[in-house]
Amino acid sequence: MINKLICFFTLIFFSCTESVPLNSKKDLNYGIVIHGGAGTMNRKDMTPEKEKQYREALEESVTLGYKILKEGGTSQEAVEHSIRVMENSPLFNAGKGAVLTAEKTIELDAAFMNGKDLNAGAVASVKTIKNPITAAIKVMEESPHVLLSARGAEKFAKEKDLEIVDPSYFFTERRVNDLDKIKNIESSANRSTRQADKEFISMQRYGTVGAVALDKHGDLSAGTSTGGMANKKWNRIGDVPIIGAGTYANNSTCAISATGWGEFFIRNVVGHDISALMEYKNYSIEEAARIVIHDKVAKLGGDGGVIGIDREGNVVMEMNTSGMYRAHINSEGELSIEIYKN
Amino acid sequence: MINKLICFFTLIFFSCTESVPLNSKKDLNYGIVIHGGAGTMNRKDMTPEKEKQYREALEESVTLGYKILKEGGTSQEAVEHSIRVMENSPLFNAGKGAVLTAEKTIELDAAFMNGKDLNAGAVASVKTIKNPITAAIKVMEESPHVLLSARGAEKFAKEKDLEIVDPSYFFTERRVNDLDKIKNIESSANRSTRQADKEFISMQRYGTVGAVALDKHGDLSAGTSTGGMANKKWNRIGDVPIIGAGTYANNSTCAISATGWGEFFIRNVVGHDISALMEYKNYSIEEAARIVIHDKVAKLGGDGGVIGIDREGNVVMEMNTSGMYRAHINSEGELSIEIYKN
């Protein structure tokens, strides 16, 4: 009898000590991180006006997501709506403003993953869906599949009453000019000699947008959306719609969204590898992201960056490029917006 | 001085003891494992004639790969040629004999990965490439990309002089009848009640082929090829061309090829998770595969199986279905062919 009583009070004691800090942690440490692409970024190329535009767009995106979290919304809603802001802005390589393929078309990829149930959805090579991130979520919620592509994915989006636009909606003068410039550089004799040209080509690989969030309920989500690589050929699909590579979320570890030279992020299974280092080796999200970006992606010759948030609200914004458009708001409402690495 | 001498001899001792068994191990323990799909397999549905056909096809495939390895060829060559045998056979859901989509078309996916340099290539939703596994390898070797899709991938394959066929080449009477049967079951009122119908539908998710090999040089490779899920809609892409999910190889751990309900293999990043459990937790390939298939894929409601080989030649053929067509030849030349789980 005494044993049973001791057992009972021990149980009560541990239930109390465990549940209070855990709940308060969840309530306290929610947060959201977004990115608008990583790449070679020189301060000399950036006018004050251009920088202001990027900062304003990043602030609008991250603030909307934060507001959703603060009001008790889910990380899924926060990630979706933050990404939609960037998809609707012509500044980023996602949705409106996406880069052009070699055939002067637009091919958009997006993915979303929920850490709570490891459910996921993605679309690849779509040309008429205004907000691919919303289509990715619909694939997760209303189809038995994870990845739909091309015209089939567009048909699905139409059946689900998502907003369909004419492909011309996505075109911006800037991206049309960029493609002409790439084609000129690639066909010119001295394409490999001029540093400025090399940097320009390099920049065209990037610009993907993404968001990761932890909500008050303790649930993690990750989403990513992109126009892919400028001048891409052969219906190339990058790392963004590949669950485990460009997009990954798992409530036992973290939520990750990547941006960079997609092929290297696929080969390194970047998102899942960061999660695995945390789960199996007890690394912090900072250590795990540093190892994967600097020791693995960079070692194979790739570059780019990731944003991540773990289940305690710790965040990481790691890159091996000279910059990444990024912003973060923590549960205190503190906003940070950064462009350059240092 | 004495310390230095001890250090020197210790170094010599360990260098010798390590290098001899390692080299001899590499020479000894090469091997190849193949699969022709996992699923609900009942002995009562299998005629002796049908079983003989499957066993002969599996033996032809695995023997060809083994011969390449024995003669000093690479694991890449062994995997490619073993898979081509199964793609060319009408028995499996890959290449000729692939299942049909809801629109009565063929959409093939394939992927290949090299463990030596983590290089990889894949194609998705192709309709005219006779051997998608060879196209996946070409993407790896002769493009800057990992994943090409649809008509773009076909254009690439044509540019690289791969064999292109009319889509009708892939059609078999059996698969046309299967699709009709699925559509009938799905449109009938009692579709969810009859166990036989449920099993039939369930079987249509499977049949993917794959191979993993370790060669005499100590290099691992993995490849997978499939027609995907019968009656699939919306240009669905499964786990096969997703590096890290259905196909993964890494010389520091293992080579994995999966077959099963693809969506669950994507969400669990199956191939990379098995590798991560080995790399980060020192699990054996058997332990790692068991955890991922039974504790992770099954827990989410998915089913299927994997084949794998590690860098020492240990193999695994793990499933949570009642069967998986599979075969293995080890470095002693010992052949095993199995269909049922027990």
Side-chain angles (χ1 to χ4, degrees):
Chain A
M1 183 63 199
I2 289 176
N3 273 350
K4 276 188 186 167
L5 270 175
I6 291 173
C7 204
F8 176 72
F9 285 112
T10 311
L11 207 70
I12 294 285
F13 175 73
F14 277 108
S15 304
C16 293
T17 49
E18 275 194 0
S19 68
V20 176
L22 259 183
N23 281 341
S24 65
K25 248 185 190 172
K26 280 181 185 170
D27 270 10
L28 277 176
N29 288 341
Y30 64 94
I32 181 162
V33 193
I34 63 163
H35 70 76
T40 311
M41 290 170 188
N42 293 319
R43 280 187 170 82
K44 65 177 172 52
D45 298 337
M46 181 68 90
T47 62
E49 178 54 31
K50 206 166 140 191
E51 182 164 336
K52 189 166 166 274
Q53 284 177 358
Y54 275 102
R55 285 184 174 273
E56 280 172 2
L58 290 168
E59 184 170 345
E60 184 191 344
S61 162
V62 77
T63 305
L64 178 59
Y66 172 74
K67 194 166 166 276
I68 291 167
L69 295 176
K70 195 182 175 190
E71 289 168 0
T74 63
S75 55
Q76 176 179 319
E77 292 166 313
V79 163
E80 179 186 2
H81 289 281
S82 285
I83 290 178
R84 284 173 66 102
V85 169
M86 292 185 282
E87 284 179 339
N88 294 342
S89 160
L91 293 173
F92 305 100
N93 177 16
K96 184 162 186 67
V99 298
L100 273 64
T101 71
E103 287 162 345
K104 296 202 177 175
T105 61
I106 298 275
E107 287 177 6
L108 308 169
D109 302 335
F112 177 85
M113 188 165 189
N114 257 332
K116 186 167 62 174
D117 51 12
L118 302 181
N119 216 344
V123 292
S125 304
V126 297
K127 300 176 179 200
T128 60
I129 301 172
K130 189 183 176 199
N131 292 107
I133 189 66
T134 300
I137 289 173
K138 278 280 178 205
V139 171
M140 176 183 82
E141 291 181 334
E142 299 184 24
S143 90
H145 302 307
V146 171
L147 176 54
L148 302 183
S149 64
R151 294 201 52 172
E154 291 171 2
K155 202 176 154 201
F156 170 82
K158 215 169 173 179
E159 286 173 22
K160 300 298 171 190
D161 288 328
L162 298 193
E163 195 169 353
I164 303 296
V165 292
D166 186 86
S168 62
Y169 159 80
F170 298 106
F171 282 67
T172 52
E173 198 185 333
R174 169 190 167 199
R175 299 299 189 185
V176 174
N177 294 340
D178 285 353
L179 182 68
D180 289 342
K181 194 170 167 185
I182 297 171
K183 285 184 181 274
N184 280 337
I185 295 171
E186 289 198 339
S187 61
S188 73
N190 63 347
R191 63 182 175 183
S192 59
T193 54
R194 284 189 51 200
Q195 187 58 27
D197 287 349
K198 279 206 280 186
E199 278 180 10
F200 180 80
I201 291 277
S202 156
M203 265 310 286
Q204 305 306 314
R205 283 200 291 267
Y206 309 106
T208 294
V209 309
V212 294
L214 171 67
D215 62 31
K216 289 184 176 180
H217 320 288
D219 291 324
L220 290 162
S221 296
T224 318
S225 181
T226 189
M229 194 181 273
N231 199 29
K232 65 186 175 187
K233 296 179 185 74
W234 306 306
N235 300 123
R236 173 254 190 194
I237 297 174
D239 63 317
V240 167
I242 308 295
I243 298 301
T247 308
Y248 188 72
N250 187 330
N251 267 11
S252 40
T253 52
C254 62
I256 298 289
S257 170
T259 166
W261 195 341
E263 277 70 12
F264 292 91
F265 284 69
I266 295 177
R267 290 165 58 195
N268 283 292
V269 200
V270 164
H272 185 263
D273 202 24
I274 292 172
S275 170
L277 282 166
M278 294 176 68
E279 186 172 357
Y280 303 143
K281 292 195 72 112
N282 284 320
Y283 284 10
S284 70
I285 192 168
E286 294 85 353
E287 289 169 319
R290 201 167 51 232
I291 287 170
V292 174
I293 293 298
H294 299 286
D295 298 348
K296 298 195 176 189
V297 171
K299 199 177 148 194
L300 291 187
D303 57 3
V306 291
I307 54 167
I309 187 163
D310 72 12
R311 58 184 183 158
E312 294 180 337
N314 301 304
V315 306
V316 70
M317 292 173 261
E318 194 67 45
M319 72 209 83
N320 71 337
T321 51
S322 58
M324 172 164 70
Y325 297 108
R326 60 201 188 276
H328 169 221
I329 304 185
N330 64 16
S331 45
E332 309 292 319
E334 292 161 342
L335 166 72
S336 69
I337 301 176
E338 301 287 340
I339 297 177
Y340 306 103
K341 187 171 183 178
N342 300 309
Chain B
M1 182 61 197
I2 289 176
N3 274 350
K4 275 188 185 165
L5 270 176
I6 291 174
C7 202
F8 176 72
F9 284 112
T10 312
L11 207 71
I12 294 285
F13 175 71
F14 278 108
S15 304
C16 292
T17 50
E18 274 194 0
S19 67
V20 176
L22 259 182
N23 281 340
S24 64
K25 251 184 189 169
K26 279 182 185 171
D27 270 10
L28 277 177
N29 288 342
Y30 64 94
I32 181 163
V33 193
I34 63 164
H35 69 76
T40 311
M41 290 170 189
N42 293 319
R43 280 187 170 84
K44 64 177 170 57
D45 298 338
M46 181 70 89
T47 61
E49 178 54 32
K50 207 166 140 192
E51 182 165 336
K52 189 166 166 274
Q53 284 178 357
Y54 275 102
R55 286 184 174 272
E56 279 172 2
L58 290 168
E59 184 170 345
E60 184 190 345
S61 162
V62 77
T63 305
L64 178 59
Y66 172 74
K67 193 167 166 278
I68 291 167
L69 295 176
K70 195 181 175 191
E71 289 168 0
T74 64
S75 55
Q76 176 180 321
E77 293 166 311
V79 163
E80 178 186 3
H81 289 280
S82 285
I83 290 178
R84 285 174 65 104
V85 169
M86 291 186 282
E87 285 178 340
N88 294 343
S89 159
L91 293 174
F92 305 100
N93 176 16
K96 185 163 186 66
V99 298
L100 273 65
T101 71
E103 288 162 345
K104 296 200 178 178
T105 61
I106 297 276
E107 288 177 6
L108 308 169
D109 302 336
F112 177 85
M113 187 165 191
N114 257 333
K116 185 167 62 175
D117 50 13
L118 301 182
N119 215 343
V123 293
S125 303
V126 298
K127 300 176 179 201
T128 60
I129 301 172
K130 190 183 176 199
N131 291 106
I133 189 66
T134 300
I137 290 173
K138 278 281 177 203
V139 171
M140 175 183 83
E141 291 181 333
E142 298 185 25
S143 90
H145 303 308
V146 171
L147 177 54
L148 302 182
S149 63
R151 294 200 52 170
E154 290 171 1
K155 201 176 155 202
F156 170 82
K158 215 169 172 179
E159 286 174 23
K160 300 298 171 188
D161 288 327
L162 298 193
E163 195 170 352
I164 303 296
V165 291
D166 186 86
S168 62
Y169 159 80
F170 298 106
F171 282 68
T172 52
E173 199 184 332
R174 169 191 167 199
R175 300 298 190 185
V176 174
N177 294 340
D178 285 353
L179 182 68
D180 289 342
K181 194 170 167 186
I182 297 172
K183 286 184 181 274
N184 280 338
I185 295 171
E186 288 198 339
S187 61
S188 73
N190 62 346
R191 63 182 175 184
S192 59
T193 54
R194 284 189 51 200
Q195 186 59 26
D197 287 349
K198 279 205 279 186
E199 278 179 11
F200 181 79
I201 290 277
S202 156
M203 265 311 286
Q204 306 306 314
R205 284 201 291 267
Y206 310 105
T208 294
V209 309
V212 295
L214 170 68
D215 61 32
K216 289 185 177 181
H217 320 288
D219 291 325
L220 291 162
S221 295
T224 318
S225 182
T226 190
M229 194 181 273
N231 199 28
K232 65 186 174 185
K233 297 178 184 75
W234 307 306
N235 299 123
R236 172 255 190 193
I237 297 173
D239 62 316
V240 167
I242 309 295
I243 298 301
T247 308
Y248 188 72
N250 187 331
N251 268 11
S252 40
T253 52
C254 61
I256 298 289
S257 171
T259 167
W261 195 341
E263 278 70 13
F264 293 91
F265 283 69
I266 294 177
R267 291 165 58 195
N268 282 291
V269 200
V270 164
H272 185 264
D273 201 25
I274 293 172
S275 170
L277 283 166
M278 293 176 67
E279 186 172 357
Y280 302 144
K281 293 195 74 110
N282 283 321
Y283 284 10
S284 70
I285 192 168
E286 294 86 353
E287 289 169 319
R290 202 166 51 233
I291 288 170
V292 173
I293 293 298
H294 300 285
D295 298 348
K296 299 195 175 187
V297 171
K299 200 178 148 192
L300 290 187
D303 58 3
V306 291
I307 53 166
I309 187 164
D310 73 11
R311 58 185 183 157
E312 293 181 337
N314 301 305
V315 306
V316 69
M317 292 175 262
E318 194 68 45
M319 73 209 83
N320 71 338
T321 50
S322 57
M324 173 164 69
Y325 297 108
R326 59 201 188 276
H328 168 222
I329 305 185
N330 64 15
S331 44
E332 309 293 319
E334 292 161 342
L335 165 72
S336 69
I337 302 176
E338 300 287 339
I339 297 177
Y340 306 102
K341 188 172 184 180
N342 300 310

